[in-house]
Amino acid sequence: MFEARLLQGGLLKKVLDSIKDIITEGNFDCSPNGLSLQAMDSSHVSLIDILLESEGFEHYRCDRNIPMGLNITNLVKMIKCAGSEDIVTIKCEDKPDNVTFLFESKDNDKISDFEMKTMTIDDEHLLVPDQTYTAVVKMPSAEFQRLCRDMAAIGDTVNISVTKEGVRFSTTGDMGTANITVRPNPSGDQKEEERTEVQITEPVSAGFALRYLNSFTKATPLSPTVTLGMVPNLPIVVEYKIADMGHVRYYLAPKIED
Amino acid sequence: PMQQRSIEFFFRGG
């Protein structure tokens, strides 16, 4: 059986908010290491990879690997019924037809349980190579969100080019062009999460669909910083770390000159 | 024009 108790139930809401616009169903894999999800969007252009490590839960028991296929839209509806301060317990049997969500209010004066039907999802599991990134950019997540929103107001595709001087985001649309350069500022007085840091072994540049990048920024409430990893001619990774718990990562295939 | 590749093109099944 599987049973996991999470003290910060609000975290589950944030995780679901970060994926609900991209996927409609997914297999949550329960394993002794934690709860994970890998799923592609319907156009198979991007890949979501979530990990919630077992150590991040107050109580975690998983005897064997259990795939828990869930409709994300319905899951959002159920998790919305939890208060943001509630403690959430997720429970299911080894071959589950249903999964149970138990919500306990912080003061222990209200207990709710919801049972949701599982579904069989037959999706291909992709193999993400263990990559050394040519360029890694760490920046405030709110700034990245703003930047993607601004770029999407002008064009559909953004060219991201990273040099040791900084990261240049460029787009072109019917009304004109836009360029935003973010420079590394590691020596200032900023707190760590306010800094922009760039690590590169060689300059890298590629084009990406802004519609997807904008969807990824729905994960902004999960982390004060976001990390972009790039390798020439390979998908970009956009990573939001979840403190003491794991991550939400998005991989997006580049646009390639025909 | 720029062509959008699929993610499977890069990450073959595991």
Side-chain angles (χ1 to χ4, degrees):
Chain A
M1 68 170 288
F2 171 74
E3 187 171 296
R5 189 169 193 259
L6 184 64
L7 296 183
Q8 335 145 243
L11 183 69
L12 273 188
K13 287 189 180 193
K14 290 182 190 171
V15 169
L16 291 175
D17 281 342
S18 76
I19 61 173
K20 69 177 166 48
D21 293 349
I22 306 170
I23 58 169
T24 52
E25 55 188 43
N27 268 326
F28 286 84
D29 293 306
C30 313
S31 82
N33 298 330
L35 193 58
S36 61
L37 169 90
Q38 191 202 75
M40 281 184 279
D41 71 277
S42 58
S43 307
H44 293 201
V45 167
S46 67
L47 182 75
I48 294 173
D49 169 75
I50 297 176
L51 175 65
L52 302 174
E53 291 166 11
S54 56
E55 290 85 6
F57 291 86
E58 189 251 352
H59 163 78
Y60 192 93
R61 180 185 160 185
C62 182
D63 303 329
R64 68 193 70 220
N65 289 11
I66 306 169
M68 201 163 69
L70 297 177
N71 177 299
I72 304 294
T73 313
N74 294 343
L75 181 58
V76 167
K77 282 182 193 164
M78 282 210 174
I79 298 291
K80 255 193 190 148
C81 300
S84 55
E85 302 267 283
D86 281 5
I87 297 165
V88 176
T89 302
I90 309 166
K91 281 197 281 195
C92 70
E93 300 299 326
D94 281 351
K95 286 187 180 147
D97 294 321
N98 296 292
V99 52
T100 301
F101 297 96
L102 194 69
F103 307 144
E104 300 165 66
S105 67
K106 223 177 163 189
D107 304 325
N108 209 18
D109 55 358
K110 184 178 162 193
I111 297 173
S112 331
D113 66 89
F114 290 77
E115 202 172 75
M116 188 175 150
K117 291 178 194 141
T118 58
M119 58 197 287
T120 305
I121 302 170
D122 205 14
D123 60 355
E124 189 193 359
H125 199 85
L126 298 186
L127 193 67
V128 179
D130 211 357
Q131 199 78 259
T132 305
Y133 290 94
T134 313
V136 177
V137 177
K138 189 178 162 201
M139 64 191 288
S141 57
E143 191 171 314
F144 181 65
Q145 184 178 40
R146 170 79 199 265
L147 203 150
C148 289
R149 202 186 61 204
D150 291 350
M151 287 270 131
I154 312 292
D156 298 329
T157 302
V158 63
N159 187 272
I160 305 178
S161 65
V162 191
T163 64
K164 63 179 186 318
E165 279 78 37
V167 199
R168 187 166 180 266
F169 298 85
S170 312
T171 191
T172 304
D174 291 342
M175 68 169 112
T177 64
N179 296 293
I180 300 175
T181 301
V182 182
R183 293 206 177 105
N185 51 2
S187 57
D189 298 328
Q190 300 99 337
K191 294 180 201 152
E192 201 196 325
E193 64 257 30
E194 292 168 356
R195 288 181 202 154
T196 297
E197 293 169 14
V198 175
Q199 289 173 323
I200 64 163
T201 48
E202 59 174 305
V204 50
S205 175
F208 300 97
L210 277 162
R211 187 163 71 87
Y212 291 94
L213 289 176
N214 251 326
S215 298
F216 302 165
T217 64
K218 295 275 161 60
T220 304
L222 283 171
S223 175
T225 62
V226 62
T227 304
L228 315 179
M230 290 173 72
V231 178
N233 304 313
L234 282 182
I236 188 172
V237 60
V238 179
E239 181 185 64
Y240 295 84
K241 283 209 159 63
I242 307 171
D244 305 321
M245 192 88 207
H247 60 247
V248 173
R249 282 182 197 147
Y250 306 93
Y251 296 90
L252 177 61
K255 288 193 169 188
I256 289 174
E257 205 77 49
D258 200 14
Chain B
M2 303 279 270
Q3 288 290 329
Q4 178 64 64
R5 292 279 183 169
S6 77
I7 197 79
E8 293 139 309
F9 176 81
F10 300 97
F11 300 155
R12 294 267 148 66

